């Protein structure tokens, strides 16, 4: 009798596949933005490799909550997955601050090598201490300054009201140049700029156009002061309920989405600049980048005090490539 019961249980386990899991993901950007489309590609890969068991039915595109709020949802398990700016984690995971430092990376190729290498893996692993699982990075291109006035040197920022992200290390940098940091969520930047609450903000070409900030800002000054990436996160509470196979499928799908994302991103950056220029935005190319670097790079030591993280910066700077 016992043998028959055991045989029946084994047969039932084989006949009944693992339960389907339908996840939700969030992103502050609209549906056609490269990060949202890349997560959509990740969802397709997950569904295919799991035989339809693992799905992402809601990508959350256009969610205008702050990314700090999104991070809280991940940590308490009310949201499964999200793509957020790495700067959102600066105050809780000090290692993330390294990748958001001004003038750390020499080029997009340099940044991508670091994100894909051992340092990127170290920082992703560090995220688990705050209740999230770091899957992959989506690099965000160079960030520049835009707004009501042209910015060519650090002196042009004295007395200027400069929008910064919540939890970002950019606020002390802004103060060091004589500007006044104003913390605002992305959704409030354009109306605040029109109302004179802020004079300038910072971001990349893609976000500048996707969020329609190019309709509020007259100038886009190519300071290219930082290359802070985004990161795709999974809730640790939900992750711990998954099987090893399910986790492996999600991780592999995330890794595969990076190449897809980078193709989209490079095309989107060029198209966004053309859109902004057609709308009348004046591009300021004659920025004294060397002056900005002289003003900001020495502040790395002020922002980063941990010897281990200082060594990480040295490892990044020692990269021999372009």
């Amino acid at each position: 009798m016992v043998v028959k019961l055991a045989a029946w249980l084994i047969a039932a386990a084989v006949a009944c596949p693992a339960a389907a899991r339908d996840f939700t993901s969030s992103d502050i950007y609209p549906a056609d933005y490269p990060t949202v489309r890349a997560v959509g590609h990740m969802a397709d890969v997950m569904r295919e490799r799991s035989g339809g068991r693992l799905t992402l039915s809601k990508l959350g595109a256009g969610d205008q909550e702050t990314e700090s709020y999104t991070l809280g949802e991940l940590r308490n398990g009310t949201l499964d997955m999200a793509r957020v700016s790495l700067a959102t984690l600066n105050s809780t995971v000090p290692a993330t601050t390294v990748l958001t430092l001004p003038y750390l990376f020499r080029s997009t190729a340099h940044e991508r090598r670091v994100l894909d290498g051992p340092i990127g893996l170290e920082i992703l692993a560090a995220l688990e201490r705050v209740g999230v699982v770091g899957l992959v990075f989506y690099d965000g291109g160079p960030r520049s300054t835009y707004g009501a006035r042209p910015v060519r040197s650090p002196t042009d920022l004295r007395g200027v009201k400069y929008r910064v992200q919540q939890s970002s290390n950019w606020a002390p940098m802004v103060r060091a140049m004589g500007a006044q940091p104003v913390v605002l969520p992305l959704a409030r930047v354009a109306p605040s700029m029109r109302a004179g609450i802020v004079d300038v903000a910072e971001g990349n070409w893609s976000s500048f156009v996707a969020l329609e900030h190019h309709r509020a800002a007259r100038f886009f000054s190519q300071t290219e002061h930082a290359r802070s990436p985004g990161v795709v996160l999974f809730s640790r509470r939900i992750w711990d309920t998954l099987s090893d196979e399910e986790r492996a499928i999600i991780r592999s799908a995330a890794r595969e989405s990076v190449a897809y994302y980078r193709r989209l991103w490079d095309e989107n950056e060029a198209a966004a600049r053309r859109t902004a220029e057609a709308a009348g935005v004046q591009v300021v190319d004659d920025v004294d980048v060397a002056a900005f670097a002289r003003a900001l790079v020495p502040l790395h030591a002020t922002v980063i005090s941990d010897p281990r993280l200082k060594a990480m910066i040295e490892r990044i700077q020692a990269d021999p490539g372009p």
Side-chain angles (χ1 to χ4, degrees), residues 144-211:
S144 290
T145 305
Y146 57 82
R149 62 185 71 191
V151 175
R152 292 182 170 86
S153 72
T155 58
D156 293 330
L157 290 175
R158 289 176 184 166
V160 168
K161 292 171 288 187
Y162 201 127
R163 181 266 171 178
V164 296
Q165 291 175 263
Q166 187 176 12
S167 301
S168 169
N169 66 40
W170 190 235
M173 307 290 180
V174 166
R175 291 191 190 96
M177 292 183 291
Q180 174 188 345
V182 179
V183 177
L184 282 175
L186 275 174
R188 290 177 53 194
V189 172
S192 296
M193 196 169 283
R194 292 189 184 97
I197 296 171
V198 294
D199 300 310
V200 298
E202 55 98 36
N204 52 54
W205 279 112
S206 293
S207 64
F208 181 57
V209 171
L211 297 170

Side-chain angles (χ1 to χ4, degrees), residues 25-145:
S25 183
S26 177
D27 197 311
I28 203 167
Y29 292 112
D32 59 349
Y33 199 72
T35 56
V36 181
R37 292 176 62 190
V39 169
H41 178 76
M42 177 182 165
D44 292 339
V45 176
M46 285 168 51
R47 183 170 56 251
E48 178 184 349
R49 291 183 181 168
S50 67
R53 288 187 296 107
L54 302 180
T55 57
L56 268 171
S57 64
K58 180 179 180 295
L59 298 181
D63 182 2
Q64 291 299 297
E65 297 285 359
T66 68
E67 291 188 318
S68 294
Y69 179 85
T70 298
L71 183 59
E73 289 184 301
L74 287 171
R75 294 174 72 176
N76 65 30
T78 58
L79 177 67
D80 301 312
M81 196 173 85
R83 195 286 326 167
V84 301
S85 168
L86 195 65
T88 307
L89 292 140
N90 284 176
S91 62
T92 54
V93 185
T96 64
T97 300
V98 170
L99 298 183
T100 65
L101 291 172
Y103 299 109
L104 177 66
F105 297 110
R106 296 183 296 275
S107 64
T108 296
H110 181 201
E111 179 184 15
R112 288 175 177 176
R113 283 195 304 275
V114 171
L115 297 181
D116 294 344
I119 290 175
L121 291 176
E122 286 176 37
I123 294 174
L124 288 176
L127 300 178
E128 295 201 23
R129 295 198 299 270
V130 296
V132 293
V133 175
L135 295 177
V136 289
F137 293 107
Y138 290 165
D139 58 284
R143 300 179 71 86
S144 290
T145 305

